[in-house]
Amino acid sequence: EKAKSSPASSGSSEAASPVTKPEIVQENKPSTDLSAIKGQNYFDIPVLSKQDIAYDEFNTVDADRWYIGQGETNCNIKDGEYTIEQTTNQPTILYANVAAIDQQRDFEIETMIKLEKGDPNEAGSGLIWGKEASKFYFFGFNQSGFLVVAKNNPNWTILQDWEKHFMLNKKEYNLLTVRKVAGTMYCFINMKLFYTGPYQPFFGTKLGFYVAPQSTLKIKEFRTSYLK
């Protein structure tokens, strides 16, 4: 696992493989009807029922939590935004130095992301979680407005196929939410449900962002929380 470290940063950046349609295989859909389980509506879980594990609005430069540096991957925090610019033809992964999530509890991972510049080959950028080595889960989108949920184990497997979603803002910030309630996982785009499926255990504890080749990602908010 190739990693690029910064003397001033505890957050990390590393090389990754691109997430594009030809490299992903379809996983069978669950046969169980999960539509009635609490949590499928974004507002099923009120704000007061969320207990923060980690929260960042990027108002200060926290090099202990996030990778800050220049090179093949340029990263900085300024004016309430964490900007990640990947300059090469390879994707990269930036993960946060935050407390691990207890998977025995219900939880939520949420972030505000804007794809400032997208990969010309339509690879996606977005949120990753449950990472260990080259294995992780991914919820992201490309510059044409297509969303996908997938896992890398270490080959790409699709959980929710690429789909052009009416709620996705191609040129503005988007709220991405990953929620676990009991044995079910939900992914929301701007508070609208995109994916429902059986909860799958983490490969590891790392979480953060996946940035496609030649892409620039801006993050305005990052939160992990337990659901009471």
Side-chain angles (χ1 to χ4, degrees):
E1 170 174 276
K2 179 183 176 184
K4 301 187 287 291
S5 59
S6 166
S9 176
S10 298
S12 299
S13 166
E14 64 182 54
S17 58
V19 52
T20 53
K21 289 183 184 179
E23 299 186 12
I24 298 179
V25 297
Q26 181 73 45
E27 181 170 273
N28 292 334
K29 295 277 187 176
S31 57
T32 306
D33 181 9
L34 301 169
S35 61
I37 298 176
K38 181 181 179 182
Q40 67 161 345
N41 186 309
Y42 182 85
F43 297 101
D44 281 350
I45 312 296
V47 174
L48 293 178
S49 295
K50 300 179 183 183
Q51 175 189 348
D52 284 352
I53 308 167
Y55 180 64
D56 206 327
E57 290 182 306
F58 303 105
N59 290 322
T60 59
V61 178
D62 189 348
D64 290 326
R65 173 173 287 182
W66 303 102
Y67 174 81
I68 306 295
Q70 303 295 311
E72 293 182 354
T73 307
N74 299 319
C75 302
N76 67 82
I77 295 175
K78 185 179 180 181
D79 299 329
E81 292 180 318
Y82 181 38
T83 301
I84 307 167
E85 179 190 15
Q86 179 62 2
T87 64
T88 72
N89 291 324
Q90 294 295 321
T92 191
I93 288 175
L94 286 295
Y95 44 86
N97 183 19
V98 294
I101 295 173
D102 180 358
Q103 296 182 69
Q104 301 304 311
R105 301 178 62 177
D106 293 341
F107 64 83
E108 196 170 84
I109 307 166
E110 196 162 63
T111 187
M112 292 281 290
I113 293 179
K114 178 167 67 171
L115 189 56
E116 187 91 339
K117 175 187 174 186
D119 171 45
N121 294 317
E122 301 295 340
S125 297
L127 177 67
I128 65 148
W129 68 97
K131 184 183 185 305
E132 180 60 40
S134 60
K135 301 177 181 181
F136 57 89
Y137 297 92
F138 172 76
F139 179 26
F141 56 96
N142 63 18
Q143 64 180 358
S144 295
F146 284 83
L147 282 163
V148 70
V149 179
K151 66 179 178 181
N152 199 22
N153 184 27
N155 298 316
W156 285 108
T157 300
I158 207 164
L159 301 177
Q160 178 67 44
D161 205 356
W162 291 93
E163 179 182 322
K164 199 161 191 174
H165 200 282
F166 72 101
M167 287 298 294
L168 183 68
N169 300 313
K170 290 192 290 184
K171 296 183 179 180
E172 302 296 334
Y173 272 96
N174 291 278
L175 180 67
L176 274 64
T177 307
V178 174
R179 174 184 292 170
K180 181 241 180 185
V181 176
T184 305
M185 184 174 74
Y186 306 94
C187 293
F188 299 86
I189 178 69
N190 294 321
M191 304 181 186
K192 293 294 183 182
L193 185 65
F194 176 67
Y195 168 75
T196 303
Y199 176 71
Q200 300 188 33
F202 292 176
F203 301 112
T205 59
K206 296 176 182 176
L207 65 163
F209 303 102
Y210 179 102
V211 186
Q214 302 180 48
S215 298
T216 301
L217 204 65
K218 287 183 177 289
I219 300 100
K220 191 159 63 172
E221 185 176 291
F222 176 84
R223 182 195 303 268
T224 59
S225 53
Y226 291 124
L227 309 179
K228 301 176 186 177

